[in-house]
Amino acid sequence: MKKSCKPAMLGRVWAASRRALSLEHSPPHQFACCQWQAGHKPSLYYLTYRWLVFLTVTSIAVASFACQRLPRLYKGPKVELNYFKWFIYFTNWGYLLIALQAALALAVVHRYRNEKSLNISCDDDEIQMPRRQKTPVLCRMYWLAHTVATDLAFVITLVYWTLVHDPRIHEINALNLLVHGGNSLVMLAELAVTAHPVRAAHALYGAGAGLAYGLFSALYWALGGTDRLGLPAIYPTLDWNKPGSAFGFVALCAVVMMFAHGVATCLAAVRARAAARLRPAAHDRLALPAH
């Protein structure tokens, strides 16, 4: 009897893990709506917000790429600036993800605004109970990008200002503040406005992205890659000439990423509770159908 129970228990654990890690969510139209709006269709105000976020973060990303230059206080050997090395930095990976999630969010909003009907009635007598609607691929892509971008933004801001920033090399200017501080502010605003949940188990996606960057940096170093100043380490704290400290830094970032996701999960839960208290009618309409 005990032997037969163990596989069944493992099966239930596996099924629960798959559900927790899945990107399925009902109702899917929540990905297109603001937490604070009335109704189940994306509002014009939210559409305007989505366009502003997309244009802002895209402009900052383009400016960050186009305005590259050697540090003003750099006094080392002369090096030729390689613009494409912009893509090797974790900060820029994170900002590209913010731009990607903004683009996907905009696409999701336009998709649901263009639908003539979401087949949701507000009259209790007319509400039918259809089968659970499968989450569209576009919504799942947006949810994944939003989750990882949020975790990366918080960690990038924390790690940059505590471990990476060197006043002798890094200038504190508007662009630096936008990509190393504005990134977290954007994602905090997203957490405050969006209606979809943040699932605790999805912390693994952010941690996985951090580990993927660690692997990339190791391969880049092994192939002889250098940073924009010609140094062998992309970041001083991620120097694979010292594998022990590099592994430790990657592991630390993965742990901090999990903690950052926990913070995001709590903030999203607080937002949902606040909306339910302050605008209960709007919250109920937004949540239909939740079966």
Side-chain angles (χ1 to χ4, degrees):
M1 185 68 178
K2 290 183 179 179
K3 289 184 178 180
S4 62
C5 287
K6 188 174 289 186
M9 183 178 295
L10 291 175
R12 286 195 294 271
V13 170
W14 172 249
S17 300
R18 286 187 61 186
R19 284 196 300 271
L21 289 171
S22 77
L23 294 168
E24 290 289 336
H25 175 69
S26 181
H29 70 264
Q30 283 188 345
F31 292 104
C33 295
C34 172
Q35 181 74 76
W36 308 97
Q37 72 176 56
H40 54 261
K41 204 160 189 176
S43 66
L44 180 60
Y45 294 111
Y46 189 57
L47 176 63
T48 303
Y49 164 80
R50 292 263 52 111
W51 268 107
L52 287 174
V53 170
F54 171 70
L55 293 174
T56 300
V57 298
T58 302
S59 299
I60 293 172
V62 171
S64 175
F65 178 81
C67 297
Q68 294 180 76
R69 62 178 183 178
L70 294 177
R72 184 169 53 87
L73 301 177
Y74 174 69
K75 300 186 185 300
K78 185 177 180 180
V79 294
E80 185 176 348
L81 189 63
N82 185 339
Y83 276 78
F84 288 99
K85 287 189 177 181
W86 185 87
F87 293 98
I88 70 174
Y89 289 95
F90 194 45
T91 294
N92 300 330
W93 281 34
Y95 216 89
L96 285 174
L97 270 172
I98 292 176
L100 175 63
Q101 71 88 31
L104 291 171
L106 184 59
V108 170
V109 170
H110 274 289
R111 170 189 169 151
Y112 280 95
R113 274 187 66 85
N114 292 334
E115 284 192 359
K116 293 182 179 180
S117 173
L118 292 176
N119 298 320
I120 300 173
S121 172
C122 291
D123 298 326
D124 292 340
D125 295 337
E126 298 179 8
I127 292 179
Q128 297 180 353
M129 303 295 284
R131 293 181 62 185
R132 186 185 183 96
Q133 189 177 357
K134 190 174 178 64
T135 306
V137 173
L138 181 62
C139 293
R140 283 183 278 170
M141 290 172 59
Y142 161 57
W143 197 10
L144 178 61
H146 178 275
T147 298
V148 178
T150 302
D151 296 352
L152 263 60
F154 293 165
V155 172
I156 286 167
T157 298
L158 176 65
V159 171
Y160 178 79
W161 293 109
T162 56
L163 298 176
V164 175
H165 178 73
D166 185 350
R168 297 170 299 176
I169 299 176
H170 304 117
E171 300 177 48
I172 298 181
N173 52 35
L175 198 54
N176 192 8
L177 291 173
L178 285 171
V179 298
H180 294 110
N183 56 343
S184 291
L185 292 178
V186 168
M187 298 317 297
L188 281 172
E190 293 282 66
L191 284 173
V193 169
T194 52
H196 62 80
V198 176
R199 195 172 287 172
H202 289 178
L204 292 179
Y205 295 133
L211 293 174
Y213 182 79
L215 178 61
F216 161 78
S217 67
L219 291 174
Y220 185 77
W221 166 82
L223 294 172
T226 60
D227 73 349
R228 60 177 181 160
L229 301 179
L231 300 174
I234 299 176
Y235 294 104
T237 51
L238 192 57
D239 186 354
W240 289 100
N241 288 307
K242 305 171 184 175
S245 62
F247 272 116
F249 180 72
V250 171
L252 175 64
C253 285
V255 172
V256 175
M257 204 88 70
M258 303 277 278
F259 176 77
H261 187 82
V263 172
T265 304
C266 293
L267 290 175
V270 169
R271 176 205 69 212
R273 283 178 175 268
R277 280 176 173 267
L278 298 175
R279 305 193 65 181
H283 180 268
D284 291 342
R285 286 196 295 271
L286 184 62
L288 286 172
H291 49 271

